[in-house]
Amino acid sequence: MISPAGIRTISIQEAVHGKNLAVAHENRERFGRCGILAANLLSSPGAGKTALLEATLRDTHVSMPSAVIVGDLQTDNDARRLGRWGATAIQVTTGDICHLDAGMVQRAMAELDLSSLSVVYLENVGNLVCPTSFDLGESLRVALVSVTEGEDKPLKYPGAFKWADLILVTKIDLAAAVGFDRDTAITNLKRVSPAARILEVSSRSGAGMEQWYETLRGRLPARERKP
Amino acid sequence: MHELSLMESALRIATEHAAASGATRIVSLTLRVGALSGVVPEALEFAFDVLREGTAAEGAELHIQQEPVRARCPCSPDELFETSGPVCLCPRCSEPTADIVAGREMDLVSMEVETP
């Protein structure tokens, strides 16, 4: 369409996320070929992602060799905490960027010996908004919400929960102390994300953790082992 | 503010298309943004204002088409219903549905360019 002024309209019809989606697709294929479960963990800061992973590595790293790619704006504190359990933990410091993207994960994957691993945890930057828009190539998306955050968190920040395959209600050992209204919280989660599985866990007391581990084991893909 | 990253991608796609078509200037961009895309239109506009400077899109206008959520409920699988989300309740049975057909998109639809 050309107008007299030399202005014309070009149809593009392209996803703005296209480049990220293409890299995410490569990551997903590669994880799949290596028989690796890639789990993207999303939550607000302080919901207990790192504590969950510390307990998980302690209890399962021997039976399910694991690595963690962890995103934070600054510091490698989380990688050091996670490294204690013998798993490789790669810190991605995102600087001013509020989320992990597929390219960051791909660069970190290059540092891992994928042939030796069963699970790679992608611990996203603590943020319930921005990370939800970026596919990392995960096969399992896990959203965490702690009992200290209030029952209406899933309604206020629905994106993180809406696309999750699994939702972990964390810190349930503190539920009574903070007057957590469990029924309201679960109802809200189911309204936002009717298909997600919901587990209630405490990394500290161990409550519910065995179900989380069982879920992970059940999601391990069949192995081909061709990195 | 992931809208900055997204707008950066949108502008990269636009300037590539503009260069490929021999355009000298981008006059306007049209984006389609679904209600569940996780993107705030106002933040996109802000990002566009900041990022267009010094590119072929300097001075360009941004048009945002906001799209509703389209979903399906098992109670009436042959029809789609529209909602603004994020809680997608079926208008027939009032149950929330997980079968979201559209509403996550964030697409660069088209642009107007000036050619010599």
Side-chain angles (χ1 to χ4, degrees), chain A residues 163-181:
Chain A
W163 312 111
D165 304 297
L166 174 66
I167 297 169
L168 300 180
V169 179
T170 60
K171 307 188 189 181
I172 56 164
D173 53 312
L174 300 178
V178 296
F180 179 64
D181 180 348

Side-chain angles (χ1 to χ4, degrees), chain A residues 31 38-41 68-69 100 105 120-124 136-138:
Chain A
F31 282 131
N40 181 2
L41 275 70
V68 186
I69 296 170
L100 287 177
V105 170
V120 174
Y121 300 99
L122 309 171
E123 185 185 338
N124 223 308
L136 304 180
E138 72 269 24

Side-chain angles (χ1 to χ4, degrees), chain B residues 19-39:
Chain B
S21 64
T24 48
R25 191 169 78 86
I26 297 170
V27 179
S28 72
L29 284 184
T30 302
L31 294 178
R32 184 191 300 120
V33 174
L36 294 179
S37 64
V39 168

Side-chain angles (χ1 to χ4, degrees), chain A residues 19-89:
Chain A
K19 199 174 169 194
N20 186 72
L21 286 172
V23 178
H25 180 71
E26 290 172 13
N27 294 351
R28 185 171 287 112
E29 294 253 293
R30 185 137 181 255
F31 282 131
R33 272 201 310 280
C34 297
I36 290 173
L37 168 66
N40 181 2
L41 275 70
L42 288 86
S43 79
S44 49
K49 291 186 295 304
T50 309
L52 177 89
L53 289 180
E54 282 186 287
T56 305
L57 294 175
R58 180 194 66 211
D59 296 344
T60 68
H61 179 53
V62 173
S63 59
M64 291 191 293
S66 308
V68 186
I69 296 170
V70 51
D72 278 300
L73 301 188
Q74 297 293 342
T75 84
D76 63 351
N77 292 353
D78 279 4
R80 284 193 278 119
R81 273 172 71 183
L82 293 163
R84 283 170 55 203
W85 305 103
T88 305

Side-chain angles (χ1 to χ4, degrees), chain B residues 14-113:
Chain B
T15 49
E16 282 168 8
H17 278 269
S21 64
T24 48
R25 191 169 78 86
I26 297 170
V27 179
S28 72
L29 284 184
T30 302
L31 294 178
R32 184 191 300 120
V33 174
L36 294 179
S37 64
V39 168
V40 181
E42 290 75 16
L44 275 183
E45 283 164 8
F46 173 77
F48 183 66
D49 280 351
V50 174
L51 294 170
R52 67 182 170 171
E53 298 305 320
T55 74
E58 188 159 341
E61 278 182 49
L62 178 66
H63 304 296
I64 298 177
Q65 301 174 349
Q66 298 193 52
E67 295 290 319
V69 182
R70 291 190 182 82
R72 193 186 280 128
C73 180
C75 87
S76 44
D78 295 333
E79 19 181 295
L80 295 182
F81 65 90
E82 287 191 3
T83 154
S84 58
V87 176
C88 303
L89 297 180
C90 171
R92 285 185 185 272
C93 70
S94 303
E95 287 295 316
T97 179
D99 190 355
I100 311 294
V101 179
R104 293 189 82 178
E105 57 276 14
M106 154 100 189
D107 300 328
L108 180 53
V109 179
S110 64
M111 62 180 180
E112 288 180 302
V113 296

